[in-house]
Coordinates of all heavy atoms in Angstrom, one line a residue:
S1 N -5.0 11.9 0.8 CA -3.6 11.5 1.1 C -3.4 11.3 2.6 O -3.9 12.1 3.4 CB -2.6 12.4 0.5 OG -2.5 12.3 -0.9
I2 N -2.6 10.3 3.0 CA -2.0 10.1 4.3 C -0.6 9.8 4.1 O -0.2 8.7 3.5 CB -2.8 9.0 5.1 CG1 -4.3 9.3 5.3 CG2 -2.1 8.8 6.4 CD1 -5.1 8.2 5.8
D3 N 0.3 10.6 4.6 CA 1.7 10.3 4.5 C 2.1 9.3 5.6 O 1.6 9.4 6.7 CB 2.6 11.6 4.7 CG 3.2 12.1 3.4 OD1 3.3 11.2 2.4 OD2 3.7 13.2 3.3
V4 N 3.0 8.4 5.2 CA 3.4 7.3 6.2 C 4.9 7.3 6.3 O 5.6 7.3 5.3 CB 2.9 6.0 5.7 CG1 3.3 4.9 6.7 CG2 1.4 6.0 5.5
F5 N 5.4 7.3 7.5 CA 6.8 7.2 7.8 C 7.0 5.9 8.7 O 6.3 5.8 9.7 CB 7.4 8.4 8.5 CG 7.5 9.6 7.6 CD1 6.4 10.4 7.3 CD2 8.7 10.0 7.1 CE1 6.5 11.5 6.5 CE2 8.8 11.1 6.3 CZ 7.7 11.9 6.0
I6 N 7.9 5.1 8.3 CA 8.3 3.9 9.0 C 9.7 4.0 9.5 O 10.6 4.1 8.6 CB 8.1 2.6 8.2 CG1 6.6 2.5 7.8 CG2 8.5 1.4 9.0 CD1 6.3 1.3 6.8
D7 N 9.9 4.1 10.8 CA 11.2 4.3 11.4 C 11.9 5.6 10.7 O 13.1 5.5 10.4 CB 12.1 3.1 11.2 CG 11.8 2.0 12.2 OD1 11.2 2.3 13.2 OD2 12.0 0.8 11.9
G8 N 11.1 6.6 10.6 CA 11.6 7.9 10.1 C 11.7 8.0 8.6 O 12.1 9.1 8.1
E9 N 11.5 6.9 7.8 CA 11.6 7.0 6.4 C 10.3 7.0 5.7 O 9.4 6.2 6.0 CB 12.4 5.8 5.9 CG 12.7 5.8 4.4 CD 13.7 4.7 4.0 OE1 14.4 4.2 4.8 OE2 13.7 4.4 2.8
R10 N 10.1 8.0 4.8 CA 8.8 8.2 4.1 C 8.5 7.0 3.2 O 9.4 6.6 2.5 CB 8.9 9.5 3.3 CG 7.5 9.8 2.7 CD 7.6 11.1 1.8 NE 6.4 11.7 1.6 CZ 6.2 12.7 0.7 NH1 7.2 13.2 0.0 NH2 5.0 13.2 0.6
L11 N 7.3 6.5 3.3 CA 6.9 5.4 2.5 C 6.6 5.9 1.1 O 5.7 6.8 0.9 CB 5.7 4.7 3.1 CG 5.0 3.6 2.3 CD1 6.0 2.5 2.1 CD2 3.8 3.1 3.0
D12 N 7.3 5.4 0.1 CA 7.1 5.7 -1.3 C 6.7 4.4 -2.0 O 7.6 3.6 -2.2 CB 8.3 6.4 -1.9 CG 8.1 6.8 -3.4 OD1 7.1 6.4 -3.9 OD2 9.1 7.4 -3.9
L13 N 5.5 4.3 -2.4 CA 5.0 3.0 -3.0 C 5.7 2.7 -4.4 O 5.6 1.6 -4.9 CB 3.5 3.0 -3.2 CG 2.7 3.0 -1.9 CD1 1.2 2.8 -2.2 CD2 3.2 1.8 -1.0
A14 N 6.4 3.7 -4.9 CA 7.1 3.5 -6.2 C 8.5 2.8 -5.9 O 9.1 2.4 -6.9 CB 7.3 4.8 -6.9
K15 N 8.8 2.7 -4.6 CA 10.2 2.2 -4.3 C 10.1 1.0 -3.4 O 11.1 0.8 -2.7 CB 11.0 3.3 -3.7 CG 11.2 4.5 -4.7 CD 12.0 5.6 -4.0 CE 12.2 6.8 -5.0 NZ 13.0 7.9 -4.4
V16 N 9.0 0.3 -3.4 CA 8.9 -0.9 -2.5 C 8.7 -2.1 -3.3 O 8.3 -2.0 -4.5 CB 7.8 -0.7 -1.4 CG1 8.1 0.5 -0.5 CG2 6.5 -0.5 -2.1
N17 N 8.8 -3.2 -2.7 CA 8.5 -4.5 -3.4 C 7.1 -5.0 -2.9 O 6.9 -5.2 -1.7 CB 9.6 -5.5 -3.0 CG 9.2 -6.9 -3.6 OD1 8.6 -7.0 -4.7 ND2 9.6 -7.9 -2.9
F18 N 6.2 -5.1 -3.8 CA 4.9 -5.6 -3.4 C 4.9 -7.1 -3.3 O 5.1 -7.8 -4.3 CB 3.8 -5.1 -4.4 CG 3.4 -3.7 -4.3 CD1 4.0 -2.8 -5.2 CD2 2.5 -3.3 -3.4 CE1 3.7 -1.4 -5.1 CE2 2.2 -1.9 -3.3 CZ 2.8 -1.0 -4.2
K19 N 4.7 -7.6 -2.1 CA 4.5 -9.1 -2.0 C 3.2 -9.5 -2.4 O 3.0 -10.6 -3.0 CB 4.8 -9.4 -0.5 CG 6.1 -8.9 0.1 CD 7.3 -9.7 -0.4 CE 7.4 -11.0 0.3 NZ 8.7 -11.6 0.0
T20 N 2.2 -8.8 -2.1 CA 0.8 -9.0 -2.6 C 0.2 -7.6 -2.9 O 0.6 -6.6 -2.3 CB -0.1 -9.6 -1.5 OG1 -0.3 -8.8 -0.4 CG2 0.5 -11.0 -1.0
F21 N -0.8 -7.6 -3.8 CA -1.4 -6.3 -4.1 C -2.8 -6.5 -4.7 O -3.0 -7.4 -5.6 CB -0.6 -5.5 -5.2 CG -1.2 -4.2 -5.5 CD1 -0.9 -3.0 -4.8 CD2 -2.1 -4.1 -6.6 CE1 -1.5 -1.8 -5.2 CE2 -2.7 -2.9 -6.9 CZ -2.4 -1.7 -6.2
K22 N -3.8 -5.8 -4.2 CA -5.1 -5.9 -4.7 C -5.8 -4.5 -4.6 O -5.9 -4.0 -3.5 CB -5.9 -7.0 -4.0 CG -7.3 -7.2 -4.5 CD -8.0 -8.4 -3.8 CE -9.3 -8.8 -4.3 NZ -9.9 -9.9 -3.6
R23 N -6.2 -4.0 -5.7 CA -7.0 -2.7 -5.7 C -8.4 -3.1 -6.3 O -8.5 -3.7 -7.4 CB -6.3 -1.7 -6.6 CG -7.0 -0.4 -6.6 CD -6.2 0.8 -7.0 NE -5.1 0.6 -8.0 CZ -4.2 1.5 -8.4 NH1 -4.3 2.8 -7.9 NH2 -3.3 1.2 -9.3
Q24 N -9.5 -2.8 -5.6 CA -10.8 -3.3 -6.0 C -11.8 -2.2 -5.8 O -12.0 -1.6 -4.8 CB -11.1 -4.5 -5.0 CG -12.5 -5.1 -5.2 CD -12.7 -6.3 -4.4 OE1 -11.8 -7.0 -4.1 NE2 -13.9 -6.5 -3.9
L25 N -12.6 -2.1 -6.9 CA -13.8 -1.2 -6.9 C -15.0 -2.1 -6.7 O -15.3 -3.0 -7.5 CB -13.9 -0.5 -8.3 CG -15.3 0.2 -8.5 CD1 -15.5 1.4 -7.5 CD2 -15.4 0.7 -10.0
N26 N -15.7 -1.9 -5.6 CA -17.0 -2.6 -5.3 C -18.1 -1.7 -5.8 O -18.4 -0.6 -5.2 CB -17.1 -2.9 -3.8 CG -18.4 -3.6 -3.5 OD1 -19.5 -3.2 -3.7 ND2 -18.2 -4.8 -2.9
M27 N -18.8 -2.1 -6.8 CA -19.9 -1.3 -7.4 C -21.2 -1.4 -6.7 O -22.0 -0.5 -6.8 CB -20.0 -1.7 -8.9 CG -18.8 -1.5 -9.7 SD -18.9 -2.0 -11.5 CE -18.9 -3.8 -11.3
K28 N -21.4 -2.5 -6.0 CA -22.7 -2.7 -5.3 C -22.8 -1.7 -4.2 O -23.9 -1.2 -4.0 CB -22.7 -4.2 -4.8 CG -24.1 -4.5 -4.2 CD -24.1 -6.0 -3.9 CE -25.5 -6.5 -3.5 NZ -25.6 -7.9 -3.2
E29 N -21.7 -1.5 -3.5 CA -21.8 -0.6 -2.3 C -21.0 0.7 -2.5 O -21.0 1.5 -1.6 CB -21.3 -1.3 -1.1 CG -22.2 -2.5 -0.7 CD -21.8 -3.2 0.5 OE1 -20.8 -4.0 0.5 OE2 -22.4 -3.0 1.6
G30 N -20.3 0.8 -3.6 CA -19.7 2.1 -3.9 C -18.5 2.5 -3.1 O -18.4 3.5 -2.5
Y31 N -17.5 1.6 -3.1 CA -16.2 1.9 -2.3 C -15.0 1.3 -3.1 O -15.2 0.4 -4.0 CB -16.3 1.4 -0.9 CG -16.4 -0.1 -0.8 CD1 -15.2 -0.9 -0.8 CD2 -17.6 -0.8 -0.6 CE1 -15.2 -2.3 -0.6 CE2 -17.6 -2.2 -0.4 CZ -16.5 -2.9 -0.4 OH -16.5 -4.3 -0.3
V32 N -13.9 1.7 -2.7 CA -12.6 1.2 -3.2 C -11.8 0.7 -2.1 O -11.6 1.4 -1.1 CB -11.8 2.2 -4.0 CG1 -10.4 1.8 -4.3 CG2 -12.5 2.6 -5.3
D33 N -11.3 -0.6 -2.2 CA -10.3 -1.1 -1.3 C -8.9 -1.2 -2.0 O -8.9 -1.6 -3.1 CB -10.7 -2.5 -0.8 CG -11.8 -2.6 0.2 OD1 -12.1 -1.5 0.8 OD2 -12.4 -3.6 0.5
I34 N -7.9 -0.8 -1.3 CA -6.5 -1.1 -1.7 C -5.8 -1.8 -0.6 O -5.5 -1.2 0.4 CB -5.8 0.3 -2.1 CG1 -6.7 1.1 -3.1 CG2 -4.5 0.0 -2.8 CD1 -6.1 2.4 -3.5
N35 N -5.5 -3.0 -0.9 CA -4.8 -3.9 0.1 C -3.5 -4.5 -0.4 O -3.5 -5.0 -1.5 CB -5.7 -5.0 0.6 CG -7.1 -4.5 1.1 OD1 -7.1 -3.4 1.7 ND2 -8.1 -5.2 0.9
F36 N -2.5 -4.4 0.4 CA -1.2 -5.0 -0.1 C -0.3 -5.3 1.1 O -0.4 -4.8 2.2 CB -0.5 -4.1 -1.1 CG -0.4 -2.6 -0.6 CD1 0.6 -2.2 0.2 CD2 -1.3 -1.7 -1.1 CE1 0.7 -0.9 0.6 CE2 -1.2 -0.3 -0.7 CZ -0.2 0.0 0.2
I37 N 0.7 -6.1 0.8 CA 1.8 -6.3 1.7 C 3.1 -5.9 1.0 O 3.3 -6.3 -0.2 CB 2.0 -7.8 2.2 CG1 0.7 -8.2 3.0 CG2 3.2 -8.0 3.0 CD1 0.7 -9.7 3.3
I38 N 3.9 -5.1 1.6 CA 5.1 -4.5 1.0 C 6.4 -4.9 1.8 O 6.3 -5.2 3.0 CB 5.1 -3.0 0.8 CG1 4.8 -2.3 2.2 CG2 4.1 -2.6 -0.2 CD1 4.9 -0.8 2.2
A39 N 7.5 -5.0 1.1 CA 8.7 -5.2 1.8 C 9.7 -4.1 1.4 O 9.8 -3.7 0.2 CB 9.3 -6.5 1.4
D40 N 10.3 -3.5 2.4 CA 11.2 -2.4 2.1 C 12.7 -2.9 2.0 O 12.9 -4.1 2.2 CB 11.1 -1.2 3.1 CG 11.5 -1.7 4.6 OD1 12.2 -2.7 4.7 OD2 11.0 -1.0 5.5
K41 N 13.6 -2.0 1.8 CA 15.0 -2.5 1.6 C 15.6 -3.1 2.9 O 16.7 -3.7 2.8 CB 15.9 -1.3 1.1 CG 15.9 -0.1 2.1 CD 16.6 1.1 1.4 CE 16.5 2.3 2.3 NZ 17.1 3.5 1.6
K42 N 15.0 -2.8 4.0 CA 15.5 -3.4 5.3 C 14.9 -4.8 5.5 O 15.3 -5.5 6.4 CB 15.1 -2.6 6.5 CG 15.7 -1.2 6.5 CD 15.2 -0.4 7.6 CE 15.7 1.1 7.6 NZ 15.1 1.9 8.8
G43 N 14.0 -5.2 4.6 CA 13.3 -6.5 4.7 C 12.1 -6.5 5.6 O 11.5 -7.5 5.9
H44 N 11.7 -5.3 6.1 CA 10.5 -5.1 6.9 C 9.3 -5.3 6.0 O 9.2 -4.7 4.9 CB 10.5 -3.7 7.5 CG 11.5 -3.5 8.6 ND1 11.7 -2.3 9.1 CD2 12.3 -4.4 9.2 CE1 12.7 -2.4 10.1 NE2 13.1 -3.6 10.1

């Protein structure tokens, strides 16, 4: 875990709007990527 705060507000992924989202298991090299763009209630 890494906690994230943006302008003092804790990032909770259950309460954001995902503009894009991709979670990927690469079996050839043994890693997981989780990439996304989110928008919060301020439009950030």
Side-chain angles (χ1 to χ4, degrees):
S1 291
I2 299 172
D3 250 346
V4 180
F5 287 79
I6 300 174
D7 285 335
E9 187 171 337
R10 188 185 198 186
L11 177 59
D12 180 354
L13 293 186
K15 297 178 180 179
V16 297
N17 175 34
F18 285 99
K19 308 285 283 187
T20 66
F21 181 90
K22 186 176 183 180
R23 182 161 33 183
Q24 175 175 330
L25 169 66
N26 182 300
M27 299 177 288
K28 189 173 186 177
E29 297 181 281
Y31 65 85
V32 167
D33 281 349
I34 308 177
N35 302 328
F36 50 81
I37 296 173
I38 54 172
D40 62 22
K41 59 188 177 183
K42 298 177 184 177
H44 290 172

